[in-house]
Amino acid sequence: FLASRVLVRQSLESLIKIVSVAPAGPFKIKPPWVNTLSFMMNIDDQGVVGKLLDWIVENDLEVIIRFEPDRISTERRIIIFKQVFNFYADKGIWLSSNKFSTKDLARFGSSGDILDFLLDKLNDSASAAIVKLNSVRVLKHFELNDFSQYRELVRSSLIGLLSTDQLDHYGIQTTIGALTEMGITDKDTLDFIVAKFRRHKNQYIRSGLYKFLHHSEYLDDYLDI
């Protein structure tokens, strides 16, 4: 915080020189400075922070995910979220970065527009399994109490994913785990999961099943499992 108070008095050129490095290519923010810059975003700066934010968008977009969401407009956060998510989707790789976690990404993108975006990925038959699982891994961190109108949409989308043959044992465990963490452990969902997976021997699937049962209100009804 104290460092951010000093930095905010610098010119844009000085700021970039202090907080970034270009060892082999474009400039990137030095990792130890990320938290300092996040504090800095909350300081009224008469323009330098806004200019720095524009520079970061152009040069090191993923770093912004760690910043306080309230400092950045909803419209801009939605654009940045989609840019980051689609970067991994287009390459067909896991959404994994040393600059942010999926929990950070969910917090940054927390809005109805982003929920619609993630649900569209889940329900699109053309989406690859890895894209759908990336959606699940972000979606599970959303606080559904703040988006109660989406609860049934989320539930039906995840049940629909479990009904396909796209998922391996890890994907099944991840999706059941998402339902559990979001508190979607109602009787209808439980009946579906138990009927579909109770006889599976895979340790990952059974781990997901046990976790779901443990967090439901019906554990004692399934002691045989």
Side-chain angles (χ1 to χ4, degrees):
F1 175 75
L2 295 175
S4 69
R5 298 285 296 187
V6 174
L7 288 179
V8 80
R9 299 184 178 97
Q10 311 304 310
S11 67
L12 179 63
E13 292 75 18
S14 296
L15 269 175
I16 293 172
K17 184 177 180 180
I18 293 168
V19 304
S20 68
V21 64
F27 279 93
K28 299 294 180 183
I29 299 297
K30 299 173 185 175
W33 283 103
V34 173
N35 286 338
T36 303
L37 293 177
S38 182
F39 274 113
M40 187 177 161
M41 290 294 150
N42 292 311
I43 298 174
D44 185 8
D45 63 297
Q46 299 181 351
V48 70
V49 167
K51 293 175 182 176
L52 180 63
L53 185 60
D54 290 338
W55 184 90
I56 295 173
V57 168
E58 291 294 324
N59 293 274
D60 201 0
L61 184 66
E62 290 188 358
V63 166
I64 296 177
I65 304 301
R66 292 275 300 279
F67 293 173
E68 288 298 323
D70 291 345
R71 180 62 185 174
I72 302 167
S73 71
T74 301
E75 292 76 13
R76 194 168 202 175
R77 283 192 288 114
I78 290 170
I79 292 170
I80 291 171
F81 182 102
K82 291 180 178 180
Q83 281 182 271
V84 171
F85 187 96
N86 286 331
F87 172 83
Y88 291 87
D90 292 344
K91 290 183 178 295
I93 57 178
W94 288 112
L95 185 56
S96 178
S97 173
N98 61 358
K99 296 177 182 177
F100 65 87
S101 66
T102 51
K103 186 175 183 178
D104 293 330
L105 192 58
R107 179 181 64 93
F108 182 84
S110 183
S111 69
D113 287 325
I114 293 302
L115 274 170
D116 288 332
F117 173 79
L118 293 173
L119 291 173
D120 285 345
K121 297 293 184 183
L122 279 177
N123 296 319
D124 185 354
S125 59
S127 291
I130 195 168
V131 175
K132 293 187 177 185
L133 287 175
N134 280 341
S135 300
V136 172
R137 291 169 62 228
V138 176
L139 190 62
K140 73 177 183 179
H141 295 296
F142 272 75
E143 180 52 67
L144 285 187
N145 289 333
D146 296 334
F147 301 96
S148 56
Q149 70 272 29
Y150 282 89
R151 178 172 289 271
E152 182 54 35
L153 288 172
V154 171
R155 176 190 175 278
S156 61
S157 296
L158 293 177
I159 290 295
L161 181 58
L162 288 170
S163 300
T164 70
D165 58 0
Q166 277 191 291
L167 303 181
D168 60 11
H169 54 267
Y170 169 77
I172 293 170
Q173 181 197 35
T174 298
T175 305
I176 295 176
L179 286 164
T180 305
E181 293 185 40
M182 287 187 287
I184 305 177
T185 55
D186 57 275
K187 190 65 166 61
D188 288 343
T189 305
L190 176 60
D191 288 342
F192 168 83
I193 290 175
V194 168
K196 188 169 182 63
F197 301 113
R198 69 181 301 155
R199 299 191 185 282
H200 274 266
K201 303 298 184 183
N202 182 274
Q203 61 179 328
Y204 295 101
I205 294 176
R206 296 205 69 79
S207 172
L209 178 57
Y210 297 152
K211 182 177 180 180
F212 188 95
L213 285 170
H214 178 68
H215 284 81
S216 77
E217 298 178 2
Y218 308 98
L219 178 61
D220 290 346
D221 297 337
Y222 296 93
L223 294 180
D224 58 316
I225 293 178

